[in-house]
Amino acid sequence: MSRKRIGVLTSGGDCPGLNAVLHGVVSAATTRGYEVLGFLDGYEGLLNPVRYQRLDPVSVSHISHLGGTILGTTNRGRFVAKVGSGQKPVIDPQILRQAKDACRGLGIHALICIGGDGSLSTSLQLQKAGVNVVGVPKTIDNDILATATSFGFDSAVSCVVDSLDRLHTTARSHKRIMVVETMGRHAGWIALHGGLAGGADSILIPEIPFHLSKVAEFAKERASLGLASTMIVVAEGAIPAKGHLSTIGAGLRGQGEVRLGGIGAHVAQEMERRTGQETRHVVLGHLQRGGNPTALDRILGTRFGVGAVELVVKKNFGHMVSYQNYEMGGVAIAKAVARIRTVPPKGQFLHHAREIGICFGD
Ligand code: F6P
């Protein structure tokens, strides 16, 4: 008798820990007697010409420590139909039908979709089109609702912290202001966690419109107290109270979400002008997504992978693995993609950061 098949794909921007998820999925699925097909380059692999590779315990052995994804991914392509921030993709019904036919033709009993909020919205449309879908939340931005966290965030934060450790020494030696731009899209989690752990003096996040006059006053006051340098971390989606979101245009061929960037350079230029103190800026960019996952992300990734197979076994389709109180469970994908999770401006984390004197520019 032929074995039941599970399909798996990685979609959207890559993220440290994806290979650990694949290892978890394939190992747990094989133990339960499933055969696993990994579709290549995200949802694109489901469309003609259909591209996949068979995954068995040998093909996923010793990959959990590797960054990126062995299946390839894309945040562009035929499944992407959004350009504006926060807009959900509405997939062409013909594309959905093609993908469904590919799954049916290959005898896929369930499809595990590992992706961020956009990719999970896509998976929900596939589910409605008749494919049995289980989601795994993937984000370095930490912005997916209905799960306490996802894999990838810790690795991105570690990159920020490592960078700040290096930048502090040069900033201090030259008595400069240093501005570090982080990723995170419309959520400030990476900047907030990275900034707090890395000793930032000021953190500017999308959730709190900031005044450059206040940040400049703060830096001048530090200088007057003999504090030679000031470290400012600014999230790519942070917006000046009297300004707008900094963007660098749409992606190639206008596909995908608008790209964020440029706020670090703007803040640096204004800080130098307003304080008279020499200022430099660094954009950490894709360094935050690259490299090997931290120990935490390897563990989370593996457990998210096993959790996904458990949802398939329980036939909890249309659900996503959710990590709450140190346990993996399931939650309706619809609940997870209703909106993104942002930093609560009145929350305890921000309160504690303010208590130690971090300036948010408000
Ligand atoms: O969502 C993850 C993320 O890394 C964001 O933080 C960032 O804005 C975006 O993806 C960058 O995407 P791309 O790979 O298209 O440059």
Side-chain angles (χ1 to χ4, degrees), residues 13 75-76 140-141 183-185 190 236 259-260 286 289:
N75 49 11
R76 309 282 181 252
I140 63 161
D141 303 337
M183 278 187 168
R185 292 204 69 78
I190 296 179
E236 61 180 3
R259 294 177 62 207
L260 304 186
H286 294 79
R289 283 220 321 242

Side-chain angles (χ1 to χ4, degrees), residues 1 4 7 33 45 51 110 141 145 154 163 171 200 202 204 206 209 212 238 261 272 276 353 360:
M1 199 181 75
K4 260 193 180 177
R51 291 171 299 122
D141 303 337
L145 272 184
D154 188 58
S163 306
S202 173
L204 308 176
L212 279 161
E272 190 164 272
F360 288 91

Side-chain angles (χ1 to χ4, degrees), residues 91-112:
I91 313 298
D92 180 343
Q94 266 192 340
I95 295 283
L96 291 171
R97 208 169 309 125
Q98 242 190 74
K100 181 183 156 187
D101 290 347
C103 288
R104 196 162 278 173
L106 288 165
I108 300 290
H109 162 67
L111 183 67
I112 296 177

Side-chain angles (χ1 to χ4, degrees), residues 44 47 74-84 95 185 248-259:
E44 284 294 302
L47 301 180
T74 179
N75 49 11
R76 309 282 181 252
R78 288 172 283 176
F79 263 93
V80 173
K82 64 175 168 178
V83 284
I95 295 283
R185 292 204 69 78
I248 41 179
L252 201 60
R253 292 183 285 277
Q255 288 182 327
E257 289 205 56
V258 69
R259 294 177 62 207

Side-chain angles (χ1 to χ4, degrees), residues 4 34 109 134 309-319:
K4 260 193 180 177
Y34 290 101
H109 162 67
V134 159
V309 173
E310 284 173 347
L311 290 184
V312 171
V313 171
K314 288 187 206 148
K315 295 196 172 60
N316 276 350
F317 302 124
H319 279 61

